[in-house]
């Protein structure tokens, strides 16, 4: 988190915020939304997706105030910290915590930054479980947003559901956003183009389109794009501990029965 002024930005009714805990599919959904909303969207090295859609907490107020409208934002802010406007649209993308911790581990390993001493998956897992990963607790983040699931201007998407029904998810996003986005998803040819350009295979190509070169291996940002990759990393004990924590933290919330298939130990 680099900026000190992101929470102070002026918001507008046509703002769109794509809110996620890290590694829940923000890039994927932003790429879909940019295609639906922006006429001149052509991400490339030097004008990456991150230039079209600023990450609020990275760049801060001054740069954001100069962005043309309609503006599309990425954020990792909790609900309470998040800039708000009663008419702005919020797309919250969620993903099961077992795959999130694995995806986050690989991203940290791949950053051109020194990692902490003794950095390995087990060490990273403990950090995540203790809520001490830099972005705070996965569970606290989601619990704050869960109180707002019924807000008229919030769309909830599960990463796993987008994998299961990619086209249907693009339609859902377009209908929620309305305007140009709504028109595109009603046009079968244009809808097919958006879906094709956002498949895992096509997003895996030329990854200089997504983020500035902050990775040792730029091609590993869009990495596996699946569910249950956690089975290649977790021990049974780690899996049981995560299940226990999930139950304890999300009991009585909208999420208490989510991801039963995706998180179970048995294949
Ligand atoms: P993995 O590391 O598990 O592969 P974020 O953009 O929030 O950082 O999320 C990154 C995750 O989304 C990565 O997960 C990445 O591979 C996945 N992802 C990005 N584009 C995708 C696509 N088109 N289809 C499926 N997964 C995608």
């Amino acid at each position: 988190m680099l900026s000190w002024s992101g929470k102070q930005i002026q918001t507008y009714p046509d703002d769109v915020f794509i809110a996620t805990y890290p590694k829940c599919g923000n890039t994927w959904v932003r790429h879909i939304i940019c295609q639906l909303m922006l006429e001149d969207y052509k991400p490339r090295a030097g004008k990456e997706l991150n230039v079209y859609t600023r990450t609020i907490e990275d760049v801060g107020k001054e740069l954001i105030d100069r962005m043309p409208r309609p503006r599309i934002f990425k954020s990792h802010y909790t609900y309470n910290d998040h800039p708000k406007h009663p008419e702005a649209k919020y797309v919250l993308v969620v993903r099961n915590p077992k795959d999130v911790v694995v995806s986050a581990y690989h991203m940290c390993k791949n950053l051109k930054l020194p990692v902490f001493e003794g950095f390995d998956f087990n060490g990273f897992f403990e950090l995540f479980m203790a809520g001490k990963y830099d972005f705070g607790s996965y569970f606290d983040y989601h619990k704050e947003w869960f109180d707002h699931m019924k807000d008229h201007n919030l769309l909830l998407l599960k990463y796993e559901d987008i994998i299961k029904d990619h086209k249907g998810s693009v339609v859902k996003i377009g209908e929620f956003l309305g305007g140009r986005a709504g028109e595109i998803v009603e046009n079968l040819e244009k809808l097919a183009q958006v879906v094709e350009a956002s498949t895992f295979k096509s997003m895996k190509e030329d990854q200089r389109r997504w983020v500035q070169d902050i990775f040792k291996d730029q091609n590993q940002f869009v990495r596996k794009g699946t569910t249950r990759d956690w089975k290649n990393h977790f021990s049974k004990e780690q899996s049981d501990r995560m299940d226990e924590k999930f139950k304890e933290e999300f009991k009585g919330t909208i999420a208490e029965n989510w991801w039963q298939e995706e998180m179970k130990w048995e294949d």
Side-chain angles (χ1 to χ4, degrees):
M1 307 254 180
L2 306 173
S3 113
W4 48 269
S5 58
K7 293 181 198 171
Q8 324 295 328
I9 65 167
Q10 165 82 46
T11 52
Y12 297 98
D14 53 355
D15 284 340
V16 173
F17 298 98
I18 298 126
T20 54
Y21 189 82
K23 311 318 291 174
C24 290
N26 197 307
T27 310
W28 190 9
V29 172
R30 258 184 311 142
H31 179 51
I32 292 170
I33 289 181
C34 282
Q35 292 176 79
L36 295 176
M37 285 182 61
L38 307 176
E39 216 151 313
D40 62 348
Y41 172 63
K42 281 193 191 66
R44 53 197 179 271
K47 193 163 184 194
E48 301 84 7
L49 171 64
N50 275 356
V51 174
Y52 289 94
T53 65
R54 296 294 184 180
T55 304
I56 310 172
E57 59 267 33
D58 282 356
V59 294
K61 179 173 162 32
E62 279 182 28
L63 199 152
I64 285 174
D65 284 348
R66 294 199 301 271
M67 281 173 75
R69 289 167 59 192
R71 309 178 305 177
I72 303 167
F73 294 113
K74 164 182 172 179
S75 81
H76 295 316
Y77 282 131
T78 59
Y79 181 85
N80 292 334
D81 280 347
H82 209 288
K84 297 183 190 70
H85 189 288
E87 301 306 319
K89 299 223 160 90
Y90 295 80
V91 179
L92 176 72
V93 191
V94 298
R95 188 182 190 187
N96 81 78
K98 292 183 178 176
D99 282 314
V100 167
V101 69
V102 167
S103 182
Y105 163 69
H106 282 287
M107 187 191 71
C108 290
K109 208 164 74 162
N110 193 16
L111 280 171
K112 284 182 185 161
L113 290 173
V115 290
F116 60 86
E117 204 181 325
F119 178 90
D120 60 10
F121 179 72
N122 294 336
F124 192 81
F125 176 84
E126 294 306 331
L127 199 73
F128 188 92
M129 291 297 276
K132 291 190 172 153
Y133 174 46
D134 263 9
F135 292 91
S137 156
Y138 168 96
F139 297 99
D140 291 348
Y141 174 89
H142 289 96
K143 282 190 285 190
E144 264 190 35
W145 280 96
F146 289 161
D147 290 339
H148 300 276
M149 286 301 117
K150 297 213 169 101
D151 291 3
H152 74 280
N153 56 345
L154 188 142
L155 175 70
L156 169 71
L157 293 171
K158 290 200 196 106
Y159 173 91
E160 295 81 358
D161 290 346
I162 314 176
I163 290 192
K164 281 186 210 142
D165 183 9
H166 185 177
K167 186 165 141 195
S169 303
V170 174
V171 171
K172 202 188 262 186
I173 294 169
E175 287 173 348
F176 171 73
L177 295 174
R180 183 181 194 270
E183 284 164 22
I184 289 198
V185 299
E186 279 176 10
N187 177 319
L188 292 186
E189 201 179 314
K190 288 186 179 162
L191 171 63
Q193 284 166 6
V194 175
V195 172
E196 173 50 35
S198 56
T199 59
F200 179 74
K201 186 166 171 282
S202 77
M203 288 189 66
K204 188 86 181 149
E205 283 164 20
D206 189 7
Q207 298 203 32
R208 291 170 312 155
R209 291 179 293 164
W210 315 131
V211 278
Q212 279 91 355
D213 184 16
I214 52 170
F215 297 104
K216 292 174 198 145
D217 181 351
Q218 186 82 348
N219 288 322
Q220 284 305 313
F221 182 74
V222 174
R223 190 185 62 91
K224 276 231 161 164
T226 55
T227 44
R228 291 182 66 73
D229 184 37
W230 65 267
K231 272 300 292 269
N232 299 316
H233 297 76
F234 275 53
S235 66
K236 175 76 168 68
E237 190 244 337
Q238 287 170 330
S239 173
D240 290 346
R241 277 177 60 201
M242 185 65 96
D243 290 342
E244 213 31 61
K245 181 133 184 99
F246 187 94
K247 232 188 269 167
E248 182 188 303
E249 296 273 1
F250 284 168
K251 190 169 183 317
T253 73
I254 184 181
E256 73 180 326
N257 296 315
W258 286 359
W259 299 309
Q260 293 185 358
E261 278 300 305
E262 290 86 350
M263 285 176 60
K264 69 176 192 209
W265 179 258
E266 300 75 30
D267 287 319

